[in-house]
Amino acid sequence: MQEIDAILQQYTAKGKLPCAFGAAVTRENGLVYVGSAGLKDIEIRESKVHNDSVLAFYSCTKAITATALLILLEDGLVSSIDDPVELYVPDIKEIRVLEKFDENNKPILVEAKNKATIRHLLTHTAGFSYTLFSSKYKTLLETTGAGNVLNSTWEDFKTPFIFEPGTKWHYGIGIDWVGKIVYEVSGMSLGDFCKKRIFEPLGAKSLTFARDAKQIQESVEIHQRDLIDSSKLTPLRNIPKTEPEFHAGGQGCYGTISDYMKFLEIFLHDGKSPQTGAQILRPETVHKYSFTNLLPEGVKITNTLEHSDPLLSNVVTFLDDVPADEKGWTANFYKIYRELPTGRGKNSLSWAGLSNLYYWIDIERGVAGIFATQLFPFADPVALAASNDFETAVYQHLLPVEDA
């Protein structure tokens, strides 16, 4: 434990990161590590974080929202992931393909030839993007004001496709549309549905899409690394803390790191919580949808994400570290077929969150973990190094020798 504590302390002691959190579970022993270091607000020296500090999970939310959709599939309220989205959310009929901009930067939109399906939304092949990963979306935001998803209003998610649905992979807001399906089908807000069917059965009391006053008080501030002086970190205290108008399935969950691990842990146990005994997803659902590559036929994850907003993201290159034939996308996760140098086994599942959170689930070796800070822009080199060091230490110090 001390070796892992030292990693968190090393990266926060001199302000390299504002804070650092780590947690890990194993299939055999449950929660084997949770730790934290640093400050909630780097400008307030007495604001030390603790293991129950509340984090913004950003895109770590996506796996939860996909799980909610799979529950509806099990319930028979969604018939197939290959259903057209319009059967559940008619708003998708309004979405066109953004072909280009004219000389006045007015978007030229054309009718989509293909209908977007739930599979496309889940696997980031519907044609949606983000302003931080698309110059088209960035121009759209700057000229029309559309697409600022951090506002968390439904209108901000009704942005154009940048290619025909089902033809390419590109990371975007598809899971927010999945969250809208959950809302329309269940008649409950995404937060209420997840609370009833996922969070409460797991005993994950802190997980929420709408923080109460106590949780806001316990929340860690998001920080910004200066683009010129990389040693300078500034707390962004202007990020809204009130309940959002729309519970964004791609980014809207908050909570403690140990409660998030209660969610990840179910995938080491075929959809069942080893702590409460709650069966969140059936084993057959987990294996068919959560563990299996669901990319449309002929589509591979081949492209580096475009770099269009340096305040929110650095150039993302970690997807390119794995050849296209050795990776895929399940209903919930990014899947890597080969082993990794950290000690991670084959066919691992993983993803990340905008404020530099990185998690993984190693089904082969029976371990899952997360490293987290609260810092923009995404893919921060220091945070990536810390995450890599943390994951490596988990395999070195927390797994039995025969498994490590």
Side-chain angles (χ1 to χ4, degrees):
M1 301 296 183
Q2 291 180 346
E3 295 88 351
I4 302 180
D5 287 341
I7 292 171
L8 304 185
Q9 291 161 6
Q10 169 195 339
Y11 279 97
T12 57
K14 295 184 179 180
K16 294 179 182 179
L17 295 174
C19 57
F21 295 80
V25 295
T26 65
R27 185 180 289 122
E28 297 301 321
N29 297 312
L31 186 68
V32 291
Y33 180 81
V34 60
S36 56
L39 302 171
K40 293 180 185 177
D41 185 321
I42 204 164
E43 294 180 353
I44 303 175
R45 302 310 300 176
E46 61 271 21
S47 65
K48 292 184 178 181
V49 299
H50 50 81
N51 293 347
D52 290 328
S53 294
V54 173
L55 304 178
F57 288 117
Y58 286 100
S59 285
C60 296
T61 304
K62 287 178 167 63
I64 294 171
T65 303
T67 298
L69 186 283
L70 294 177
I71 291 171
L72 292 177
L73 191 68
E74 289 185 346
D75 289 349
L77 298 176
V78 170
S79 58
S80 168
I81 66 166
D82 291 311
D83 283 347
V85 179
E86 66 185 40
L87 292 181
Y88 305 97
V89 184
D91 286 359
I92 199 82
K93 296 178 183 178
E94 304 171 17
I95 306 302
R96 305 287 185 265
V97 178
L98 175 55
E99 195 171 64
K100 59 183 179 180
F101 292 87
D102 66 16
E103 62 275 9
N104 297 314
N105 267 342
K106 182 179 179 180
I108 296 175
L109 304 168
V110 298
E111 195 80 23
K113 298 174 184 176
N114 302 337
K115 289 187 176 183
T117 67
I118 297 174
R119 179 190 297 268
H120 297 154
L121 297 180
L122 290 169
T123 59
H124 300 284
T125 56
F128 290 118
S129 186
Y130 280 110
T131 57
L132 61 158
F133 296 133
S134 167
S135 57
K136 286 183 176 179
Y137 265 46
K138 183 70 171 174
T139 301
L140 194 71
L141 176 63
E142 291 171 347
T143 56
T144 69
N148 185 359
V149 296
L150 296 181
N151 287 338
S152 289
T153 69
W154 175 234
E155 289 301 314
D156 281 297
F157 292 93
K158 293 164 67 173
T159 44
F161 303 129
I162 58 172
F163 54 80
E164 280 289 330
T167 61
K168 298 178 184 178
W169 182 90
H170 185 90
Y171 190 62
I173 59 170
I175 306 298
D176 296 285
W177 283 78
V178 171
K180 182 70 167 175
I181 292 174
V182 174
Y183 168 76
E184 295 292 347
V185 171
S186 70
M188 304 169 68
S189 73
L190 179 60
D192 286 346
F193 183 86
C194 289
K195 181 179 181 181
K196 180 179 180 180
R197 301 297 299 272
I198 303 174
F199 303 157
E200 286 186 343
L202 291 177
K205 295 180 180 179
S206 73
L207 297 184
T208 183
F209 284 78
R211 292 171 293 175
D212 60 27
K214 183 179 179 182
Q215 288 177 307
I216 290 172
Q217 186 177 2
E218 293 294 338
S219 291
V220 180
E221 295 287 355
I222 306 297
H223 292 72
Q224 180 76 53
R225 191 182 295 282
D226 191 88
L227 299 182
I228 305 299
D229 180 1
S230 62
S231 67
K232 183 180 180 182
L233 307 180
T234 304
L236 300 177
R237 302 190 186 101
N238 60 342
I239 294 178
K241 294 180 171 63
T242 55
E243 180 171 359
E245 176 185 319
F246 172 66
H247 289 180
Q251 65 186 48
C253 188
Y254 297 85
T256 66
I257 197 167
S258 55
D259 274 353
Y260 190 79
M261 290 309 301
K262 292 176 184 177
F263 168 70
L264 292 185
E265 189 175 25
I266 70 172
F267 296 98
L268 296 176
H269 297 273
D270 287 338
K272 184 177 183 177
S273 167
Q275 298 187 43
T276 68
Q279 191 78 47
I280 306 300
L281 291 173
R282 299 170 191 156
E284 57 268 30
T285 301
V286 170
H287 286 265
K288 183 177 180 180
Y289 296 101
S290 301
F291 290 177
T292 301
N293 177 35
L294 299 178
L295 287 171
E297 187 175 355
V299 176
K300 295 183 183 297
I301 304 170
T302 56
N303 58 316
T304 300
L305 292 173
E306 190 177 355
H307 183 227
S308 54
D309 191 340
L311 285 173
L312 287 179
S313 181
N314 291 288
V315 177
V316 177
T317 60
F318 60 79
L319 289 169
D320 301 323
D321 295 338
V322 180
D325 290 336
E326 296 186 25
K327 59 191 175 187
W329 208 279
T330 77
N332 308 70
F333 307 109
Y334 173 50
K335 182 173 183 177
I336 301 174
Y337 304 147
R338 69 180 185 183
E339 295 179 344
L340 295 182
T342 57
R344 200 190 301 183
K346 296 177 181 178
N347 297 311
S348 66
L349 310 168
S350 60
W351 199 233
L354 182 65
S355 53
N356 284 284
L357 308 93
Y358 304 93
Y359 70 80
W360 82 97
I361 307 169
D362 184 343
I363 305 302
E364 181 180 75
R365 296 183 177 168
V367 60
I370 185 170
F371 173 84
T373 186
Q374 298 281 269
L375 176 69
F376 294 159
F378 180 61
D380 178 75
V382 179
L384 286 169
S387 177
N388 186 78
D389 289 350
F390 172 76
E391 182 176 330
T392 301
V394 166
Y395 283 95
Q396 290 177 346
H397 300 293
L398 296 180
L399 261 65
V401 174
E402 63 268 22
D403 293 333

